[in-house]
Amino acid sequence: AAKNVVADRSYWGDLCFANIQKRLGYFTDDDYETYTGLHKDMQENLLYPSCIIHLKSDPQLCAKRVQRRMEQISGRQCESSIDFNYLNMLDGEINMMVLAFSKIVPVIEVEPMKDGTEIALDVLVEDIITKLKLMEEAHNNLHGRPPQYVSRD
C-alpha cells in the first residue's frame, strides 16, 4: 500500500548548503567536485517527491529565530556565527532549488507570516492540507483518477 511521507528539507536541499560553502571558500574546488559528484551519483537512485511544500521564510525572521533560540535555549551558542548574509544567501539558493523543482513536480508555497506576525502552526498545517486537497482534486479532474504514489516497501 502506498504511504504518504513527509521529509524536512530533502536530499536536494543539502546542495544549497554546499553551494554556499563553496562560495564562501569553505569548500575547495576538489571538495565541491567530490560532493556534487557523489550527490549526482546518488540522485540517479532516488525518486522525485510527489510535491514540495515550501515554507517561505524571510531571512530577517530566520535571524530573529536564531537569536531567540540562543537566548532561550542553552547549548545553542553554536548558532552565534550565523550572520544575516549567510541566511540571505541560503534563502536565494533554496528559492532557486524550488524554482527548478517547480518544473518537475507541483510546489505548494506556504507563507508562515501575515502582516509581520507569525501564523500559528495549526493554521499553517490546515493551509497545507487544504492546498494538498486542491492539488489532488486538480489531478483527479485532469486524469480522471487519484495520483498513483510509488511505494518503496
Side-chain angles (χ1 to χ4, degrees):
K3 295 180 182 177
N4 296 318
V5 177
V6 176
D8 176 23
R9 212 174 4 92
S10 71
Y11 160 80
W12 293 277
D14 289 344
L15 196 56
C16 296
F17 293 95
N19 291 340
I20 293 171
Q21 297 306 308
K22 171 69 172 111
R23 244 188 287 158
L24 293 174
Y26 297 116
F27 272 7
T28 65
D29 289 342
D30 287 342
D31 292 338
Y32 187 73
E33 286 178 32
T34 299
Y35 181 89
T36 55
L38 289 170
H39 191 273
K40 184 177 183 238
D41 289 345
M42 290 173 58
Q43 184 175 325
E44 293 173 4
N45 298 309
L46 296 175
L47 297 173
Y48 284 106
S50 301
C51 76
I52 291 178
I53 300 171
H54 180 205
L55 296 174
K56 298 179 79 166
S57 194
D58 180 72
Q60 288 181 329
L61 173 62
C62 292
K64 287 179 185 176
R65 288 177 175 163
V66 167
Q67 185 63 38
R68 186 171 57 219
R69 279 196 304 267
M70 287 190 309
E71 292 169 358
Q72 296 175 354
I73 303 172
S74 63
R76 297 298 292 258
Q77 291 301 314
C78 60
E79 293 184 337
S80 65
S81 64
I82 300 173
D83 68 5
F84 181 73
N85 184 46
Y86 179 84
L87 294 173
N88 209 32
M89 289 170 57
L90 184 57
D91 185 57
E93 284 287 332
I94 290 170
N95 286 331
M96 287 190 302
M97 178 197 66
V98 170
L99 179 62
F101 261 101
S102 72
K103 298 172 183 170
I104 302 168
V105 299
V107 173
I108 295 173
E109 301 233 320
V110 179
E111 295 277 353
M113 298 281 292
K114 183 172 183 166
D115 301 324
T117 304
E118 289 187 60
I119 298 172
L121 182 60
D122 59 333
V123 175
L124 286 177
V125 169
E126 284 301 318
D127 185 32
I128 292 168
I129 290 169
T130 299
K131 289 177 179 180
L132 284 169
K133 287 178 180 177
L134 289 172
M135 184 182 77
E136 187 169 35
E137 184 179 303
H139 185 281
N140 288 346
N141 291 338
L142 182 64
H143 299 287
R145 62 174 173 73
Q148 302 298 307
Y149 299 103
V150 177
S151 175
R152 299 189 99 180
D153 293 340

